[in-house]
Amino acid sequence: MKLKPIIPLLLWLGCSPLTLANESPLLQPDYPATYVVQQGDTLWDIAAHYLQKPWQWPILWQSNPQIANPHRIYPGDQLALQWQNGVPRLVRSGAFAKPVITLSPKVRREAANDAIPALPLAAIEPFLTQDLLFASQVQRDGAPMVLGNNSGQRALLAPAILYVRGVLQTGQRYGVYRVGSEFHDPHSGEWLGQVANLTGVVRADSVAGEGMSRVTLLSNREEVREGDRLLPLPADPTLQAQFDPRPAASLQGGEIIGLPGQRVTGSRLDVVLINRGAREALTPGMLLHAWRPGALLNHATVERFAEAKAAPAKNPRLPAEVIATIMLFKVYPTLSYGLIMHSQDLVRVGYAVTAP
């Protein structure tokens, strides 16, 4: 089986043993004796070889003195499952059998960036650095705004000098974002957020007076236009993609309300937008289940139920099913982005999401 993009061990080792204390790891009946980490693997997939619940991975690494730094694994590492006091532990094969006292620390020559990252960055980086969300209308309306340049150009390309409404910090770089689609709660109609699409990057050069700043357009993702808004550039995505994975404790009224590109379906490693966020105590790293609603029974079946006095309702449905596991990676006050880690079928806009 070919495994997919690498996911960081940091993702799992952030978990405290207390986080999973009430869950015993259930091993797969056919787990491999050893496994060699491949370029392109994901840690979720590696965990799925051993565990029925891949997010329990940290349990396999707790209290392992044989690994000097268990916070990183690399392609080429050979992993083996060992038992310590009746508890399964995953170790680097070969190191386990060597007496610890005879080993001096071995310096790994791999750079930190060579280690398995937290989530497949190719899937989530656009939502960490490029396609953000305005969390409130106040934030959107108060953000510095592109006014244009003295050449009267309406579509601006780097390199270019332009002016911005707002006083910026001289020397700092800012992302330029175009206001996009708004999101509303599908049930209450509440305004939840609005897409901010990256169009370029500028450097603040000086304060120009009259509440304006002079900036240099350094690069474009697309043409910068009058009315685009400025936000400080986000942190390094590799730092943002380090999570404490755990099932969400509870969630009411959660629903998938969008996918990138205005699609209505997604599958494994696709990003979904959920109508719940920090206000509902959600945080990055939390795991949710997506539910496919039960199909409506046809009219003839309903009539047969009615004749047998067994119909639960006028239009009874089959039971809803868990169709996917989603990990949250970017949480706003009222919205969250999540990555589909596992799916049995297509996930659709409108599917309910709940705590596992």
Side-chain angles (χ1 to χ4, degrees), residues 65-97:
Q66 304 297 334
I67 298 177
N69 181 8
H71 293 265
R72 296 186 185 278
I73 60 173
Y74 298 82
D77 283 344
Q78 181 170 286
L79 308 177
L81 196 71
Q82 304 283 349
W83 292 86
Q84 300 176 18
N85 300 321
V87 178
R89 304 295 189 202
L90 199 60
V91 302
R92 289 195 182 97
S93 181
F96 185 81

Side-chain angles (χ1 to χ4, degrees), residues 129-132 146 156-158 160 162 164 172-179 196-203 215-225 228-234:
T129 62
Q130 298 175 11
D131 297 326
L132 308 182
V146 174
L156 303 167
L157 297 174
L162 54 145
V164 171
Q172 182 170 333
R173 296 190 178 197
Y174 293 82
V176 184
Y177 296 88
R178 181 157 306 141
V179 175
N197 295 309
L198 183 72
T199 59
V201 175
V202 301
R203 182 189 64 239
V215 303
T216 298
L217 180 59
L218 301 174
S219 62
N220 290 85
R221 187 185 182 200
E222 56 183 275
E223 296 171 337
V224 169
R225 295 182 177 274
D228 287 355
R229 310 291 172 137
L230 273 67
L231 294 171
L233 286 173

